[in-house]
Amino acid sequence: MLVDRLFVFLFLQHARRFYTDVLGFHEIERPPFTSKGVWYAVGVQQIHLMENAAGETLREGEINSIDGHFAIWVISYRKTIEGLEEASVPYEARQESVAGFSQIYVLDLDRNIIEFDAVYGS
C-alpha cells in the first residue's frame, strides 16, 4: 500500500533544501502539475511538498506531538540526534518515551512537525 502525506510551504526551495540536504530524503519524479511541488520516497511511502502561501494548513505554534505530524522510523536514535545537532536543527527528544520506542520531534522551516522514532538505546 502506498501512503503519502502532503505538506504546504511558503517557499518550496527552502523546504527542498531542508528535506534533501538536512534530512537526506530521496527526491523522486513528480508529474508535471502546474503547481510547485517536490515528492520524496521514504521507504514505501511518499511525502509531497507543495508551495501554497495561502494554504490553511500552515502552522504557527511550537512542537505539539498531538497535533498533525508524520512519523518516520530511523535506525539509530543517537545518530539521528547527532545529525540534527550537526545541522543545527532544534529538536525535542523523548529517549524513554512511554510509546514503547524513542521519539524525536522537529519542525521544518514552515513549522510542519516531523517525528523520528527508533528502538530504545539505539
Side-chain angles (χ1 to χ4, degrees):
M1 171 187 347
L2 176 65
V3 178
D4 67 70
R5 296 284 305 180
L6 170 70
F7 293 93
V8 176
F9 296 87
L10 293 174
F11 302 104
L12 183 64
Q13 289 308 321
H14 296 165
R16 176 184 250 155
R17 278 194 296 275
F18 181 79
Y19 280 81
T20 301
D21 299 339
V22 175
L23 298 183
F25 286 9
H26 174 71
E27 190 172 330
I28 59 174
E29 187 175 341
R30 177 179 178 265
F33 298 121
T34 57
S35 58
K36 292 182 182 179
V38 178
W39 287 8
Y40 292 96
V42 181
V44 297
Q45 299 186 31
Q46 292 181 1
I47 296 173
H48 300 171
L49 310 184
M50 302 292 296
E51 184 173 284
N52 182 358
E56 295 182 33
T57 61
L58 294 169
R59 294 178 37 79
E60 294 180 12
E62 296 300 318
I63 292 172
N64 179 348
S65 64
I66 61 172
D67 201 350
H69 66 279
F70 70 97
I72 298 172
W73 192 262
V74 295
I75 295 171
S76 172
Y77 173 86
R78 181 183 52 79
K79 287 184 180 178
T80 302
I81 294 284
E82 288 172 1
L84 293 171
E85 289 177 349
E86 188 175 295
S88 299
V89 175
Y91 60 88
E92 180 181 306
R94 300 178 185 174
Q95 188 169 5
E96 300 297 326
S97 171
V98 297
F101 45 84
S102 298
Q103 298 172 297
I104 307 163
Y105 291 91
V106 301
L107 294 172
D108 66 22
L109 301 175
D110 280 288
R111 310 196 72 72
N112 293 298
I113 303 168
I114 307 166
E115 174 184 344
F116 296 103
D117 301 325
V119 172
Y120 289 138
S122 60

